[in-house]
Amino acid sequence: MSTTTRCATRLLLTVALLTLAIPSAWAFYPFGFFSTIQNGQLVIIKWPLSAFDTNGDGDVTADEGLELNFEIGNGEDGFDATEAAKVEAGFTEWELVSTAYAAFRRGQNITDPVELTGDLASIDAFNVVVFESDNDVVEQGGSIIGGSFAINLIANSFEDTFITIGDTTVPVTGGQMIDIDSAYAAQGRVLEAAQSGTLKGTAVLGAGGYLSLGWSPLTNIDEEASEVAGVQIENRVVAIRNFDGTIGLRGVTSSMFNDFFNYDDGGNNFVDSSQDLAPTDIAGVTFVYPRSNLDIFFDLNQRARTNAGANQVSQPIAGAWIRAWSDADNNPGTARVPMFDTLTGLYYSGVDTSFRGHFKLKGLFKELETINEQTFTASYVVTCSEFLPILFGGDARPTYDSTHGGFNQGTPGAGAITYDTLFPAEVFNENGNLFGLSNTNQGTPLIFDLITRKIVSQDTGKTLDVLLATGRPMFGDANQTCPLNVIIGPPVDDGGDTGGDTGGGDTGGDTGGGDTGEEDDGGGFGKENLAALRGFRDDTLLGSGLGVAITDAYYRMGPAVAQFLLEHETIADIARALVAPARWIIVNAEWLLVTTVLLLVGVRVRRQPLRARAMTAGTAVLAIVLASFAADARFAPLELSDYLANADDVLTGTVTEIESRWINNNTKIITDIAIEVDETIKGTQNSGGVVHLQLPTGRVGAIGRTSPQLPTFTVGEEVLVFLDALKSGYTVYGGVAGKFLIAPHPRTGEKYLFATSMPGHTRLEREIAKMNQDKAPDGVELANTKGPMKIDFEHRTLVKLDDFVKYLRNVNKQQEKLTISASQPAK
């Protein structure tokens, strides 16, 4: 092998290894975890290709896919043929994504009695889709679904292990899905009769869970239309081609949004809008199970940091909500819509803090079409804001962030992360970011240039890497610690560019990639030398791709180098001595280049070693550059007042114990949860007593059983829960929407209530609106209650716990009166 070939091979291997080692955050919410035995490496929980490619030929065709076994019953005890076909159509919707190889196939028809008591939660590698009939509810002593239209129970491995299924023991690898079972509620049959499409829409969301996608908070709900209609309404705003080539309008609210939302197809005829996939769903399934044609997508990889204040340095932000707002119809007269999103630090494992504020929006469309089939370049304005922020301890992010231990009962796991809060919302603008999401339409639209193959500003044509190469993060301020500050001393403001990364100019100076004005002599360096360096940066380095990469790498490595110089004064002195020669080299760069080329041509006998050295140098530069980059079913449309009416007990309390264990001869995992009761809102539990919940989820050793619809608990947290009594013990009515966190105000100590999921948040907001009107459901007047506190975090409303408990008790009293009245015989 020649030296050149060896160096090229070394370069490719370096690129491959660095690419594999770099964590990223993607434009959807995948199901996964950080491996404790692989140095915190991210593992996405997914099916192996063999689960889809049943004939083993390396491809997935129409007659292959993941096997689904449906419960078909007579009368009410199972799906009828029509209902099963509608559910199957929801799964099929994911097969229509041509860039992914996900597929499903019908297996056996199973009959009642269904696997709802012991067998549904059994880990048996037999995927079933069953129907919870009224007879099943009686047999179980209640509904295992309570408040949901369907639930998924997912079994997977967290590390390489063996599992016994029947009489056979088989190996499974870490992160592998083993078994999924789904149960659909009988009430879905009722709603399907009133509004066609409900079963299919529910199945679309459920099938996404089968395909390793977690729930998404991304919505584009029309608040005014929803208030008028009394249901959540979204508008169909983006034209997407179907598998058969036809084009049609869709909404951009993710089908993985775990709640009901509709569109109006004319005349107040509301249709379930989850039935077809939004762009973010297409990007998600394509990433997990990529097939081909991936050139239709591009990625955006950037950082978010805090804004630096007086005597404060900028810090990376973890847990910020990043959204890409698209001009979906190529019409500047219409508002942009949120099409893709992610959280910063979503895949930061806690092992390497350098990627805490990084994010990666993956799978953005390069081009879109109008409904008239006119292709146009897709543009995106990117924003950074809090996502249902942490307020006095309440936080909804773990519900959408399984990778940081969100689905491990009481166990934060290797991915434990502390999210940041209290930072302003920003809209990216190349001339200085704008504060407040009301300025979204004034942000700089970014497009993918098909000629240069780079992300550029649609306004000025400048590439994003040039706009941000001087150390400026996409959001917040640069880390203003630079080696030149150590070498030349503190900067002196000359009234030059002072707007900074927060306001339009560059405050970072050579401390962060911008300009604060000219510096003093600082050891002989002076304005003339500084100007030469800046000119070299702006006129030479930023004029080429390699130069941009070198500049970016310099500013990313700058803080660490500066700290090293501060700790090693002798080396700093040597660096100061090299400043003047550096300027001479820059000033005479053109002459030096010509001389170097002549020498290379003249010394032909050494051409091969020089080429080898050049390749080795290229490998090192590329390694530095790459290392600097970060590499289900849903809930029934019920209100909290409905939860209150249907739940057996409603109470507040503190979680005191959590234990996950095997039962049924090591075929089923359950988790027991103990809550010490503080106040009883409904039911017969005594204050100071203990209630015990049992959920069919949890982790024991290498095997876990999870459900996106069911809540998780942590020892010590204070909660308000709606409980349903089954023969096996209490469960949470409404799943994640039936659990709320309680936390005290940091100054007053008064306790407030927080939702931990989007469905819970939506229902809490609507109940607070009723509370403000002093009206219970059905217009029943209530006693006076204090209004809640409004916080301007994307319409976030907080309510005091005491006020809400009083309100719920009043509603419960009125509901009991109505129940008694309805049971009285007519006179």
Side-chain angles (χ1 to χ4, degrees), residues 4 11 20 50 122 218 301 309 334 379 418 581 604 691 735 764 766 782 799:
T4 301
L11 175 63
L20 289 173
S50 58
S122 295
L218 188 66
N301 178 12
T334 58
S379 66
T418 301
R604 288 181 295 179
V691 296
L764 182 60
R766 288 202 291 259
L782 294 176
V799 63

Side-chain angles (χ1 to χ4, degrees), residues 182-523:
S182 297
Y184 286 69
Q187 59 187 332
R189 176 177 284 165
V190 177
L191 191 56
E192 174 70 21
Q195 178 178 307
S196 178
T198 299
L199 277 175
K200 180 184 176 184
T202 302
V204 168
L205 176 57
Y210 278 59
L211 296 172
S212 316
L213 300 183
W215 284 349
S216 169
L218 188 66
T219 64
N220 185 42
I221 303 300
D222 186 327
E223 293 186 7
E224 293 184 5
S226 299
E227 186 174 351
V228 172
V231 295
Q232 294 194 95
I233 299 293
E234 75 155 354
N235 299 314
R236 315 225 102 189
V237 294
V238 60
I240 300 290
R241 287 198 178 274
N242 298 313
F243 193 78
D244 60 3
T246 60
I247 195 168
L249 286 175
R250 303 186 187 187
V252 295
T253 299
S254 173
S255 290
M256 294 306 295
F257 177 57
N258 49 331
D259 211 345
F260 277 88
F261 59 102
N262 308 269
Y263 70 93
D264 186 351
D265 72 348
N268 291 326
N269 183 29
F270 301 128
V271 179
D272 193 304
S273 202
S274 294
Q275 294 182 79
D276 48 26
L277 305 181
T280 186
D281 303 312
I282 296 171
V285 71
T286 297
F287 176 81
V288 180
Y289 301 105
R291 182 188 288 273
S292 60
N293 303 326
L294 301 188
D295 195 50
I296 66 174
F297 305 112
F298 73 97
D299 306 334
L300 174 62
N301 178 12
Q302 286 299 327
R303 299 171 294 148
R305 300 179 65 88
T306 58
N307 299 107
N311 301 318
Q312 293 179 338
V313 296
S314 164
Q315 299 291 337
I317 300 172
W321 196 10
I322 305 297
R323 279 174 285 182
W325 302 69
S326 173
D327 174 10
D329 57 1
N330 200 30
N331 181 356
T334 58
R336 290 180 173 271
V337 295
M339 191 173 285
F340 299 94
D341 73 322
T342 190
L343 296 176
T344 60
L346 188 62
Y347 295 89
Y348 153 66
S349 69
V351 177
D352 184 354
T353 61
S354 61
F355 297 108
R356 180 178 176 86
H358 285 253
F359 64 88
K360 189 169 187 178
L361 288 166
K362 190 174 182 67
L364 282 70
F365 289 156
K366 295 176 182 176
E367 295 182 317
L368 292 170
E369 289 186 82
T370 66
I371 193 61
N372 297 321
E373 304 187 43
Q374 295 178 338
T375 301
F376 63 96
T377 301
S379 66
Y380 304 93
V381 168
V382 186
T383 65
C384 173
S385 62
E386 292 194 56
F387 164 62
L388 292 185
I390 304 170
L391 295 173
F392 322 146
D395 191 8
R397 282 171 287 201
T399 302
Y400 302 90
D401 178 13
S402 65
T403 60
H404 291 117
F407 54 65
N408 293 335
Q409 297 282 359
T411 306
I417 186 173
T418 301
Y419 287 124
D420 299 301
T421 187
L422 299 179
F423 54 89
E426 289 187 53
V427 180
F428 174 70
N429 187 291
E430 60 185 293
N431 297 315
N433 287 359
L434 308 172
F435 291 102
L437 295 180
S438 60
N439 293 311
T440 297
N441 286 338
Q442 283 71 54
T444 295
L446 300 175
I447 63 174
F448 186 85
D449 189 317
L450 297 176
I451 297 177
T452 63
R453 311 291 294 176
K454 290 186 175 183
I455 300 173
V456 305
S457 162
Q458 191 176 43
D459 293 337
T460 63
K462 294 180 180 179
T463 62
L464 185 63
D465 52 3
V466 166
L467 291 173
L468 302 180
T470 56
R472 171 188 173 184
M474 178 165 270
F475 300 104
D477 292 331
N479 186 334
Q480 300 188 3
T481 306
C482 174
L484 287 180
N485 259 24
V486 179
I487 296 172
I488 67 176
V492 177
D493 188 354
D494 71 345
D497 297 330
T498 58
D501 293 327
T502 61
D506 295 330
T507 57
D510 289 310
T511 64
D515 299 330
T516 55
E518 307 299 346
E519 280 80 356
D520 63 10
D521 284 345

Side-chain angles (χ1 to χ4, degrees), residues 614-661:
M615 290 294 293
T616 302
T619 301
V621 171
L622 186 57
I624 292 172
V625 173
L626 285 175
S628 68
F629 285 90
D632 299 297
R634 58 183 166 176
F635 298 94
L638 303 176
E639 304 295 329
L640 283 186
S641 51
D642 297 316
Y643 284 17
L644 181 65
N646 294 327
D648 294 306
D649 292 82
V650 181
L651 53 87
T652 66
T654 302
V655 179
T656 57
E657 293 181 47
I658 298 174
E659 180 186 8
S660 297
R661 56 194 171 91

